[in-house]
Amino acid sequence: MKHHRDQHFASIEDIQHGFEEAGYICSQQIATTLFLAYHLGKPILVEGPAGVGKTELAKTAATYLRIPLIRLQCYEGLDESKALYEWKYGKQLLYTQILKDKLNEFLEGAESLDASISRLHQYDDIFFSLHFLEPRPLLSALQREGGTVLLVDEVDKSDQEFEAFLLEILSDFQVSVPEIGTIRAISKPFVLLTSNNTREMSEALKRRCLHLFIPFPEPKLEREIIRVRVPDLSENLRGQLVSFIQQVRKLDLKKPPSISETIDWARVLVLLHASSLNPDLVRDTLNTFLKFEEDIEIVQEHLYDIAGKALREA
Amino acid sequence: MEQVLQNLIIALRASGVRISVSESMDAMYAARLVGYENRQTLKDSLSATLAKSHREKEIFEASFNRFFSLDGFSDPETDSYRAPALEPNEEDAPLTQMLLSGDNTGLSMSMREAAQRADISGIRFFTQKNLYIQRTLQGMGLEGLDRDIRRLSKEDGASSRQKGSALKEARDLLFENVRNFVEQQFSLFAGSATREIIEKYLRNIRLSNLEQQDYHQMRAIIQRMVKRLNDLHSRRRKTSKRGWLDLKKTLRENVAYQGILFDPRWKAKKIDRPDIVALCDVSRSVEAVARFMLLFLYSLNEALARIRSFIFCSNLVEVSHVFEEYQVEEALVRLQRGFGLGIKFGGTDYGQVFQDFKKTWLDLLSNKTTVLILGDARNNYGNPQTDILGLIRERSRRLIWLNPEPPAFWGTGDSEMRRYLPSCYFVKECSTVNHLERVVDLLLRTQA
């Protein structure tokens, strides 16, 4: 299955180009990491501030490769029965009830307890077999033929125990089920893990992954992103908008605006048929990209300076 | 080229980036995959495989640039090396020949090789610089050059003299270049060694002797310590005792399966998150230490969810909100000056403090609470109110007293430490960061 996807990852430029067609502008750094991840067969741990397109990267990778995306959202308390597999208790129960009568028939003629037990031994562990296994996202990602993109989202929110059992999947692409044994991947999934850095990930996990840090983009890259995502915005306004956002990020804010918020704002400006960034318009729409009252106050103080500079620069 | 990559990894490790063997192998594969032609691509690839956090990326960035800045052999003033334009002789030493013919690349290569042979990656202390400069020069064949210079000075004739003085100039330049190179290597390989020594020193020095300039580094150390302790202890952990069947729970859970025991439940042991009430003395007698105690409390406050902080001098006030509202610098100033907190900076009165606590906050205590008191127990000969401390001890799980004075001073003068001793779960001298860490480790280890 690998070779017919090789063309997608033939070179770093191809990746950049392909992702752009799928609507995601990736920097050289991102493309290089994707390239390495594919050829070395390693997962990528993506870190960076919220809203710079970490999750989007995985989604686009799935679109680009034309394979399904399996997403596992992590949270505190997530355990293997929700992430990996669970036994179908109901089915097991139902089957024991149905087979109860069958069992009598089957054991007929057995003279002693020993004989019936040894007869039963011929059928070992019917109830703990693959038929009764309910695959959860991680296991189904391993079992899917043709490969998948597996996104383990916000892995920093999960517990340390969960992280520990991710290790087996990340390094060997296999899962050990105590009752059955090891289940190997039919085809290796392309794995991305994202983290917002609410806690430091363990060394062991980091060691198994390639690490990608996505920072807030450079002005040029951000203009490019806005161009692709909000094509209706005029070029002039796009320049002003990006310059404005870049300056706002330099202020000491509780939550600096991210790319997704820039895109939201660009869409709002398109809806309002704005032709240029005048301070009044900005003041009315500040809340689309600033999410704290304190932040809005800080930006309002500097509003005229920033807007003026943005107009000059564009 | 792989040797170069190895050296880069050594340099990165020396600057505090943790790189395992498997990661360095990944880096090797990655470099083979993308090739060495494009510098940016190589850098991105190595960054993805070697540096695994934002901080490490920054270190990587700096090290990579420094490491691969292939500056040739040059005059530091003009930034280029101009050969004296003299014909080298057959009998001249190789180094002399290179200097005379202006073979920049050759000189640069020879310098790197000589440094490699001198084991430059082993450099740790700035006192070793001269040694390495000497070794590198010798490795490049300084002896031959010196011999040539001596020979030329003995010879007659204008051309020999001119050549001799040109060689002397070139020799100075050579020294300059080797020194620069060794400096650069020193900063690559020895960065963290020096830092580690300073850090070790800071951890063991008495808090009261610390200088203002060390304060920033101290904050970093304390923060790291709190983070580590927090990682170790703060999460609610279930250690299940496999082997002990919880019969009641199993029956309850399996009612849904017609009483067939599908889903056995085991007895589990829960470890609670620590619950802390901290009281910190900020009077003049402990002024120097108080700053660090507060710094420590601040960091603890960031890390632990359930902590109530108080400061006291003549009376007791709660300051948990200050820690939450302000940045560390401002919070510390506010606490030490007592802006708007209602704290009275008279003589320290432990008796009054305990009474205040009993009156208002005694309900905070439960059988899960650990009470932490930071202070020197110097009560200015007032009523020590030992019975209230006893009450606090009874109401809480543990009472821990950290005293910045060494045990020999306890009970001397107006110190009431000896009288408080019986009510405490334990009392520890706490005057260095290392003390602090050990105590807090104990403190957070709440058993079931």
Side-chain angles (χ1 to χ4, degrees):
Chain A
M1 73 117 225
K2 197 179 169 179
H3 32 264
H4 63 249
R5 211 164 291 138
D6 269 351
Q7 46 161 350
H8 285 107
F9 284 99
S11 76
I12 295 169
E13 288 74 33
D14 285 352
I15 298 174
Q16 256 174 326
H17 192 68
F19 270 64
E20 187 176 337
E21 273 173 10
Y24 189 94
I25 304 292
C26 50
S27 64
Q28 170 95 20
Q29 170 86 62
I30 297 176
T32 311
T33 314
L34 287 167
F35 177 78
L36 288 176
Y38 177 76
H39 287 283
L40 297 178
K42 292 218 152 220
I44 309 179
L45 173 64
V46 193
E47 287 188 318
V52 289
K54 298 189 292 292
T55 310
E56 203 58 35
L57 179 66
K59 287 186 192 160
T60 317
T63 324
Y64 176 56
L65 294 170
R66 293 195 201 90
I67 48 179
L69 172 82
I70 293 188
R71 178 174 173 166
L72 175 69
Q73 176 71 43
C74 295
Y75 51 87
E76 208 177 327
L78 178 70
D79 59 7
E80 66 241 60
S81 67
K82 285 171 198 128
L84 203 52
Y85 67 88
E86 192 160 31
W87 293 107
K88 294 176 181 165
Y89 294 118
K91 196 173 166 190
Q92 283 172 333
L93 191 68
L94 196 65
Y95 276 44
T96 42
Q97 294 300 317
I98 295 169
L99 293 179
K100 225 183 214 166
D101 309 329
K102 201 85 194 143
L103 209 60
N104 287 336
E105 252 171 62
F106 170 70
L107 289 178
E108 221 162 76
E111 268 151 31
S112 64
L113 199 61
D114 274 353
S116 19
I117 292 276
S118 58
R119 234 188 240 186
L120 274 180
H121 273 316
Q122 296 166 14
Y123 303 85
D124 44 14
D125 301 335
I126 341 168
F127 287 107
F128 287 101
S129 63
L130 281 176
H131 300 292
F132 292 93
L133 204 62
E134 173 85 63
R136 300 290 189 194
L138 290 180
L139 188 60
S140 55
L142 293 185
Q143 285 180 322
R144 187 75 66 97
E145 240 165 287
T148 51
V149 172
L150 172 65
L151 167 66
V152 184
D153 214 2
E154 305 193 338
V155 66
D156 51 331
K157 302 258 163 64
S158 67
D159 304 317
Q160 238 144 10
E161 295 86 354
F162 178 74
E163 210 182 295
F165 91 93
L166 262 184
L167 295 180
E168 189 186 6
I169 297 175
L170 295 184
S171 59
D172 299 329
F173 296 100
Q174 65 178 39
V175 170
S176 297
V177 182
E179 291 87 348
I180 296 178
T182 315
I183 303 176
R184 292 189 165 281
I186 296 173
S187 59
K188 272 191 190 177
F190 191 75
V191 188
L192 287 130
L193 299 96
T194 74
S195 153
N196 278 333
N197 246 335
T198 50
R199 78 185 165 86
E200 187 93 339
M201 306 312 296
S202 75
E203 288 286 326
L205 183 90
K206 282 185 167 178
R207 207 167 56 224
R208 284 165 174 81
C209 301
L210 299 178
H211 185 270
L212 175 65
F213 185 84
I214 307 185
F216 288 126
E218 301 283 306
K220 190 167 157 247
L221 188 66
E222 187 158 27
R223 274 198 295 275
E224 197 60 23
I225 295 170
I226 300 289
R227 185 182 63 76
V228 173
R229 301 304 291 264
V230 194
D232 297 337
L233 199 69
S234 73
E235 193 185 332
N236 184 29
L237 190 53
R238 193 193 313 144
Q240 294 171 12
L241 173 107
V242 170
S243 160
F244 190 93
I245 290 282
Q246 293 273 340
Q247 289 178 69
V248 168
R249 284 198 192 121
K250 288 195 189 107
L251 298 173
D252 181 26
L253 298 183
K254 222 170 179 177
K255 158 115 186 36
S258 62
I259 302 178
S260 60
E261 279 150 344
T262 316
I263 293 173
D264 287 347
W265 195 33
R267 290 205 176 116
V268 167
L269 293 181
V270 169
L271 279 179
L272 294 175
H273 302 293
S275 56
S276 82
L277 275 192
N278 65 61
D280 291 328
L281 177 70
V282 176
R283 186 174 301 122
D284 293 340
T285 51
L286 271 182
N287 53 0
T288 46
F289 61 95
L290 293 173
K291 305 293 161 72
F292 286 97
E293 193 57 40
E294 297 99 302
D295 288 355
I296 293 181
E297 274 166 28
I298 294 172
V299 173
Q300 269 178 351
E301 271 173 38
H302 304 274
L303 191 63
Y304 279 89
D305 298 344
I306 299 179
K309 203 170 164 212
L311 285 174
R312 256 176 284 128
E313 270 179 14
Chain B
M1 215 45 204
E2 310 222 312
Q3 181 59 41
V4 178
L5 202 53
Q6 275 301 331
N7 275 344
L8 174 67
I9 289 169
I10 294 175
L12 281 172
R13 282 194 185 131
S15 350
V17 181
R18 286 177 59 174
I19 297 170
S20 70
V21 179
S22 71
E23 278 165 324
S24 57
M25 276 162 66
D26 286 344
M28 220 77 97
Y29 292 136
R32 255 182 235 162
L33 205 60
V34 299
Y36 292 91
E37 295 82 34
N38 186 335
R39 187 184 158 111
Q40 189 59 41
T41 315
L42 180 67
K43 188 169 157 185
D44 287 343
S45 316
L46 294 182
S47 165
T49 44
L50 293 174
K52 307 255 165 125
S53 71
H54 192 41
R55 191 185 71 89
E56 290 184 354
K57 294 250 186 241
E58 276 167 15
I59 299 175
F60 174 83
E61 193 89 356
S63 293
F64 184 90
N65 289 339
R66 225 178 313 158
F67 200 82
F68 287 106
S69 63
L70 279 166
D71 33 316
F73 194 83
S74 64
D75 189 333
E77 274 161 33
T78 59
D79 234 14
S80 66
Y81 176 59
R82 203 172 38 77
L86 292 167
E87 278 304 303
N89 229 330
E90 284 280 312
E91 55 193 309
D92 285 343
L95 182 60
T96 318
Q97 289 190 7
M98 275 195 280
L99 282 173
L100 285 179
S101 59
D103 182 2
N104 282 350
T105 340
L107 282 167
S108 173
M109 285 286 287
S110 149
M111 180 163 72
R112 274 161 198 276
E113 276 166 18
Q116 200 84 59
R117 279 200 301 278
D119 191 20
I120 189 90
S121 54
I123 190 167
R124 286 292 171 272
F125 307 104
F126 74 95
T127 44
Q128 291 174 308
K129 278 189 209 163
N130 280 329
L131 177 75
Y132 278 98
I133 292 172
Q134 276 314 316
R135 278 195 201 160
T136 309
L137 283 169
Q138 267 160 21
M140 289 174 77
L142 184 68
E143 264 173 64
L145 177 65
D146 281 342
R147 210 180 310 122
D148 286 338
I149 293 176
R150 268 200 305 279
R151 181 172 47 84
L152 286 169
S153 69
K154 280 180 203 145
E155 279 176 24
D156 288 335
S159 73
S160 296
R161 225 175 301 134
Q162 198 196 347
K163 197 172 163 187
S165 66
L167 270 181
K168 268 186 198 154
E169 262 173 44
R171 186 174 179 270
D172 289 344
L173 214 58
L174 176 73
F175 268 64
E176 194 74 24
N177 269 287
V178 172
R179 184 172 304 125
N180 280 347
F181 180 72
V182 171
E183 288 277 354
Q184 202 184 10
Q185 299 295 309
F186 173 72
S187 64
L188 264 177
F189 290 111
S192 76
T194 326
R195 210 173 48 237
E196 267 166 33
I197 293 166
I198 294 177
E199 195 163 295
K200 208 165 155 191
Y201 165 78
L202 280 181
R203 291 182 75 105
N204 282 310
I205 193 176
R206 294 188 76 82
L207 291 174
S208 48
N209 298 343
L210 271 169
E211 303 289 335
Q212 187 66 29
Q213 72 211 35
D214 297 324
Y215 170 77
H216 275 284
Q217 205 154 359
M218 202 65 176
R219 171 153 165 74
I221 295 176
I222 288 187
Q223 240 171 3
R224 215 166 332 128
M225 169 183 114
V226 169
K227 185 173 172 334
R228 195 170 74 230
L229 292 171
N230 190 43
D231 279 353
L232 271 175
H233 299 292
S234 83
R235 284 160 15 83
R236 177 184 284 258
R237 242 168 289 174
K238 273 190 215 151
T239 39
S240 34
K241 266 204 265 166
R242 276 275 172 183
W244 289 87
L245 186 71
D246 190 338
L247 198 61
K248 284 187 216 158
K249 209 170 176 185
T250 308
L251 286 177
R252 257 197 323 269
E253 290 296 326
N254 287 291
V255 167
Y257 311 131
Q258 298 193 342
I260 301 167
L261 301 185
F262 263 116
D263 190 6
R265 291 298 163 115
W266 311 95
K267 280 187 175 159
K269 198 158 84 176
K270 257 185 202 166
I271 297 179
D272 276 320
R273 283 192 172 130
D275 183 4
I276 291 176
V277 171
L279 309 165
C280 184
D281 188 353
V282 290
S283 65
R284 231 163 296 118
S285 56
V286 290
E287 200 174 15
V289 189
R291 192 172 169 77
F292 290 99
M293 295 289 196
L294 289 173
L295 182 59
F296 171 68
L297 270 190
Y298 186 92
S299 310
L300 211 57
N301 223 68
E302 281 177 342
L304 302 178
R306 282 194 293 179
I307 174 167
R308 299 282 290 261
S309 317
F310 300 84
I311 57 171
F312 62 86
C313 189
S314 304
N315 61 342
L316 182 76
V317 290
E318 174 160 15
V319 294
S320 308
H321 59 283
V322 179
F323 284 131
E324 270 150 39
E325 274 168 37
Y326 298 101
Q327 291 289 319
V328 59
E329 299 288 341
E330 195 177 346
L332 293 202
V333 172
R334 271 171 187 275
L335 293 182
Q336 286 200 301
R337 302 264 167 77
F339 289 140
L341 293 172
I343 187 169
K344 290 181 214 128
F345 284 104
T348 326
D349 189 346
Y350 279 81
Q352 182 61 42
V353 167
F354 292 146
Q355 269 176 345
D356 286 351
F357 189 82
K358 184 182 169 192
K359 207 164 83 195
T360 323
W361 291 289
L362 199 62
D363 289 344
L364 283 183
L365 304 180
S366 72
N367 60 356
K368 283 183 189 144
T369 324
T370 302
V371 180
L372 178 65
I373 301 179
L374 308 157
D376 59 359
R378 297 213 169 262
N379 199 25
N380 298 314
Y381 303 102
N383 181 358
Q385 302 278 16
T386 13
D387 48 330
I388 302 186
L389 192 69
L391 182 69
I392 294 176
R393 162 84 181 104
E394 270 168 35
R395 289 289 189 89
S396 60
R397 177 199 209 81
R398 275 181 313 183
L399 172 62
I400 294 174
W401 194 303
L402 303 180
N403 195 327
E405 292 183 346
F409 290 107
W410 296 354
T412 60
D414 59 349
S415 169
E416 301 287 355
M417 201 62 239
R418 295 243 162 261
R419 290 225 234 158
Y420 288 141
L421 259 178
S423 319
C424 298
Y425 177 80
F426 73 71
V427 183
K428 263 266 172 4
E429 177 196 356
C430 179
S431 55
T432 71
V433 176
N434 268 347
H435 283 160
L436 208 56
E437 178 165 10
R438 234 171 288 151
V439 168
V440 175
D441 188 37
L442 267 171
L443 171 80
L444 295 178
R445 200 172 292 158
T446 37
Q447 294 99 352

